[in-house]
Amino acid sequence: MNQTIGSFDIVGDQFHLNGQPFRVLSGALHYFRILPELWEDRLLKLKAMGLNTVETYVAWNLHEPAAGQFRYEGGLDLAAFIRLAESLGLYVIVRPGPFICAEWEFGGLPAWLLADPYMEVRCCYQPYLEAVRRFYDDLLPRLLPLQIQRGGPILAMQVENEYGSYGSDLLYLTWLRRLMLDSGVETLLFTSDGATDHMLTHGTLAQVWKSANFGSRAEEEFAKLREYQPDGPLMCMEFWNGWFDHWGEPHHTRDAADAADALDRIMACGAHVNVYMFHGGTNFGFMNGANTDLLTRDYQPTVNSYDYDAPLDETGQPTAKFHAFRAVLEKHVALPPMQLPAPAPRIAIDALTFDACAGLWDALPLLSEAYRDIVPRSMETLGQNYGFILYRTETAHPPGKVMLSLERLHDRAQVFINGQPAGVIERNGPLHLEVDIPAGGLTTLELLVENQGRVNYGPDLQDRKGILGWVRLGINKLYHWQMYPLPLEDVGGLPFRSGVVADGRPAFHRARFNVATLGDTFLDMAGWRKGVAWLNGFNLGRYWECGPQTALYVPAPLLREGENELIVLELHGTGTHIARLSAQRP
């Protein structure tokens, strides 16, 4: 048996750390949204604001990208992140899911779960429980030595996440708690939910300490929590001080003074707090999540930036909110003098010139192999997690105008007739498009479908991607499809040719440029329409002219001294051959 060498306990309405009263002042900072080279900088700034604890989710989909295959290297070395926090004098709260929401792809659940056509997540569906057990059997042994009881910095671990906002299977929550205990978790277990009757009824367990999530009205929220937990410490586990953005919607901000007043009210209640987010970071690659409107079910994909209007912005720089929050904390607790790391240098390049391109169709043999089936199949059925998928069939339909109709589409399809653009069908819009079938024999119909991010919150969580059902021309269903999965995990070795294609068809464009001194920057794609950008092989994420995000954050460690390579997949063609690196967010 392991000897207990530390403790974190509930004593009355207080927490005691190693036998002494302790107030948890925490900030949310997700290791998987930040390059590992920048972890220390962000953690030091968290400490400089006056916080003593860092909270992080665990992204199951990154750690188990394929069933039974686990990854913890580099930026996924969770244990290294926790040990680094400890070395800087910080304690840690871990929220291992298995579901995390977090505006993250599928709420952190791995997409391969959805290959099971009967899958039900976040409940007692046996294949789901078996997958969770396998993940926890691999994850938890890495965390157990880092618990406070073993001399490490982990104070607490969460059971599931905001379950009261989703389901009602208390047997599932009970099973998950027992799994954690049987696996060797000794430190405090907790739940976190919105402070409403239905959320606290469906998301909590009698044996587990409860916390609340909110952004204002601390007195009212804690009063409701007290109805379900009459004693014990009060804590706002997610103090929402900002918010996230969807494509095509306005950028969200919250006044620093208003947010500071809300924090002051939490502190005045004698409560504990986790600032969500202290530093949001970035949804690099295809890792952004999405929402669906609970009434209309309209699909709302999240942007790549997870700036969140947090105290530390996406680039790691303190904002007005940072200083306002520190001033509030100083009213209630004694803080050491503030010590901030030096800001990272910034760089700018006025023009990155694209001088080579490769059409997507030309690159297709290098990027994918065709699956053939009678009807279209989802990404998950074909073993694909993220990216795009190209559906192709041939038809002898009579020439002339006819309605192309889809039963279900997730999420956005570009339609091509004999290789030429014919329009776009989107999940939220009419699932039909009038096309013109040419005369002269067989017609090739293609649909390039983009997975814009799986839903991470609410009842539409099981969000399979691709064409989900029949495709018709007029009244006739189409059969015999070729399907080309395009996860685009590697865009090296493409057949680039000099010049730039501007025919409105999807194409990769390449720019090479030199950097003398490394620094943070933003990739400004003004003038381009919609696509994805890779810098030195690293997927920075999506750009889209609809905004509100107009540029992609490029942390300095992604650049190289000397020559750098930028590859862009532009989906609709562009009238410009130039992008820019900007020292400030455009």
Side-chain angles (χ1 to χ4, degrees), residues 14 21-25 49-52 218-219 222 239 259-273 323-336:
Q14 292 184 326
F22 181 77
R23 191 167 194 176
V24 177
L25 303 175
M49 198 178 83
L51 304 177
N52 55 32
E219 301 86 351
F222 284 138
F239 167 49
D261 177 70
L263 176 61
D264 192 29
R265 291 173 180 270
I266 293 172
M267 298 295 290
C269 291
H272 309 259
V273 67
H323 297 287
F325 281 12
R326 180 176 166 93
V328 167
L329 295 175
E330 284 183 311
K331 284 178 55 179
H332 297 274
V333 297
L335 298 180

Side-chain angles (χ1 to χ4, degrees), residues 136-147:
Y136 273 32
D137 283 350
D138 194 84
L139 170 70
L140 293 179
R142 303 170 190 274
L143 300 178
L144 299 179
L146 300 171
Q147 297 176 101

Side-chain angles (χ1 to χ4, degrees), residues 215-237:
S216 58
R217 305 187 312 275
E219 301 86 351
E220 299 171 36
E221 303 289 329
F222 284 138
K224 176 58 66 175
L225 180 61
R226 276 291 183 231
E227 294 178 21
Y228 291 80
Q229 185 166 258
D231 49 30
L234 291 170
M235 183 165 183
C236 179
M237 189 57 69

Side-chain angles (χ1 to χ4, degrees), residues 460-516:
D460 293 322
L461 194 63
Q462 291 170 185
D463 185 22
R464 292 176 177 85
K465 297 301 185 181
I467 296 176
L468 310 176
W470 47 253
V471 179
R472 293 189 333 213
L473 280 177
I475 63 173
N476 301 105
K477 290 174 67 172
L478 301 180
Y479 295 99
H480 300 289
W481 290 84
Q482 298 176 52
M483 292 159 278
Y484 294 86
L486 294 164
L488 301 181
E489 294 170 352
D490 182 1
V491 293
L494 297 177
F496 283 108
R497 297 180 180 178
S498 297
V500 177
V501 173
D503 61 1
R505 304 203 313 163
F508 295 93
H509 303 265
R510 186 182 67 195
R512 289 174 171 163
F513 61 97
N514 289 303
V515 171

Side-chain angles (χ1 to χ4, degrees), residues 44-59:
L44 286 171
K45 290 169 179 173
L46 182 146
K47 187 175 181 180
M49 198 178 83
L51 304 177
N52 55 32
T53 303
V54 59
E55 174 268 311
T56 185
Y57 282 127
V58 178

